[in-house]
Amino acid sequence: MKSFKRMTFSIVLLVITIANTGFAQTGRERSSKKARAAAEQSARAARVFNEIMGTREKSIPRDLLNKAEAVAVFPGVIKAGFIVGGRGGSGVISRRVAGGWSAPAFFDLGGGSIGLQIGAASTDYILLFMNENAVESLLGDKFEIGGEGSAAAGPVGRSASASTDVKLNAQILSYSRSKGAFAGLELKGVVIKPDNEDNSQVYGMTARDILTGANKISMDKMPEGVRVFPLTLARYSMRR
């Protein structure tokens, strides 16, 4: 009887050990997959920003970029439908910090629109958050452009300086690129919310902690794959 109990206990212990090993492996695989996805997302956002800023006659004016407190890039947002359409995509946001830009926090973008739409289109969106209030509003459960925050179509190119003063009254300046054309775009009804599942997997922190916490992540402590986005922003805008 005792030998039977010992055998039963051993079997149970073996099953628990195997299960725990499986869970640990699954957790590591999930974390590794998230890290790769985060690196890809940051790289796509950096590539979009580089391409847009590389076209000087149609890029974001540097004086506006230098005033921005945070920059969001949502690459490849899909807008699809017939009569009733919607947008859906994900991207990254970095906030200005001493000597550069913060680790990119991960956010989702969504929203609806009514109108005659057939087929699907992929659009890159760039948002400049022009003051501290705009950044703070962004960090709630969700943030609706045109609702909680005022937004305006951002000016582009060197000739944009004449309209700069007017545009700076807005909390957010918004831009879009679709089929190669880049221009300011007034967004309404678009909702931005933190993807804290991804943020927790990559950093062990929420978007709020990443962008506003006292212990912001320094460049050398960021996962290597995500550094490309703040480093790209720093190429075009650094405050002394």
Side-chain angles (χ1 to χ4, degrees):
M1 186 61 129
K2 288 183 179 179
S3 63
F4 176 76
K5 287 182 178 179
R6 283 197 297 270
M7 184 181 296
T8 302
F9 177 77
S10 298
I11 292 171
V12 170
L13 186 61
L14 179 61
V15 169
I16 292 172
T17 302
I18 292 171
N20 286 339
T21 301
F23 287 141
Q25 288 176 340
T26 301
R28 286 195 297 270
E29 289 170 1
R30 188 183 302 116
S31 179
S32 178
K33 186 176 180 180
K34 285 288 186 183
R36 289 195 300 270
E40 290 169 5
Q41 185 80 289
S42 299
R44 289 177 64 206
R47 185 166 59 250
V48 165
F49 198 81
N50 258 328
E51 290 170 356
I52 286 167
M53 295 304 293
T55 310
R56 293 189 177 183
E57 297 304 320
K58 285 290 184 180
S59 64
I60 298 170
R62 294 292 184 97
D63 58 342
L64 287 182
L65 185 58
N66 288 337
K67 291 181 173 70
E69 292 298 329
V71 175
V73 179
F74 293 91
V77 174
I78 298 296
K79 182 176 181 180
F82 178 75
I83 305 302
V84 178
R87 301 182 187 90
S90 55
V92 295
I93 300 178
S94 282
R95 183 177 189 171
R96 201 180 290 277
V97 295
W101 295 85
S102 73
F106 299 95
F107 282 76
D108 292 327
L109 180 147
S113 60
I114 305 296
L116 185 61
Q117 301 168 37
I118 301 175
S122 176
T123 303
D124 302 318
Y125 291 99
I126 295 180
L127 308 176
L128 305 187
F129 296 84
M130 302 307 296
N131 53 47
E132 298 283 346
N133 288 338
V135 177
E136 185 63 30
S137 298
L138 176 71
L139 297 172
D141 291 336
K142 65 178 184 179
F143 172 76
E144 182 177 343
I145 296 179
E148 295 94 333
S150 62
V156 299
R158 297 175 181 175
S159 62
S161 57
S163 60
T164 295
D165 290 341
V166 175
K167 300 298 183 184
L168 281 178
N169 291 327
Q171 292 186 47
I172 303 166
L173 297 178
S174 52
Y175 298 86
S176 70
R177 183 179 68 166
S178 184
K179 298 179 180 178
F182 179 68
L185 177 70
E186 186 171 352
L187 293 175
K188 289 185 179 180
V190 170
V191 173
I192 300 173
K193 60 181 181 179
D195 184 347
N196 280 328
E197 180 180 345
D198 279 4
N199 290 319
S200 295
Q201 284 282 345
V202 176
Y203 302 109
M205 302 169 71
T206 66
R208 175 174 287 278
D209 291 332
I210 295 164
L211 297 180
T212 67
N215 299 315
K216 294 187 180 69
I217 304 167
S218 60
M219 185 67 70
D220 62 331
K221 297 292 178 61
M222 289 180 207
E224 188 174 356
V226 306
R227 296 176 192 172
V228 62
F229 185 67
L231 287 173
T232 297
L233 294 182
R235 287 180 57 194
Y236 300 101
S237 179
M238 287 283 285
R239 288 181 185 167
R240 301 296 181 186

